[in-house]
Amino acid sequence: MSWDRKGSAHSRGYGAKWRKLREAILRRDKHLCQPCRAMGKLTAATQVDHIVNKANGGKDAPENCKAICEPC
């Protein structure tokens, strides 16, 4: 799938509010990748991903986000 990343992070919906949510999700998930954790592996998370992506109607809400590692 190709992502259109034109415009600033803020204009795409990833401004200060997202950065605060991102930090909260990483803390909540103890900075561990949740898909790896589900498979019994402990991997440091560096990103936060939407479970239902925004293009498909997902919201910037804690229950719709999880911490992931770079490969995931």
Side-chain angles (χ1 to χ4, degrees):
M1 174 186 282
S2 173
W3 290 96
D4 181 9
R5 295 203 175 204
K6 294 180 182 176
S8 69
H10 182 77
S11 70
R12 291 183 287 121
Y14 296 101
K17 187 176 177 183
W18 169 254
R19 287 190 298 272
K20 287 180 183 179
L21 176 61
R22 180 184 178 280
E23 287 304 315
I25 298 304
L26 288 169
R27 278 192 309 274
R28 178 196 72 193
D29 292 347
K30 298 178 174 64
H31 291 264
L32 294 173
C33 175
Q34 298 306 292
C36 288
R37 187 170 171 248
M39 294 186 301
K41 297 184 336 186
L42 295 180
T43 308
T46 57
Q47 307 290 323
V48 170
D49 189 35
H50 290 90
I51 296 166
V52 176
N53 64 35
K54 291 170 72 171
N56 290 330
K59 303 294 180 192
D60 286 342
E63 60 274 8
N64 189 44
C65 295
K66 63 184 173 186
I68 62 170
C69 63
E70 188 68 35
C72 285

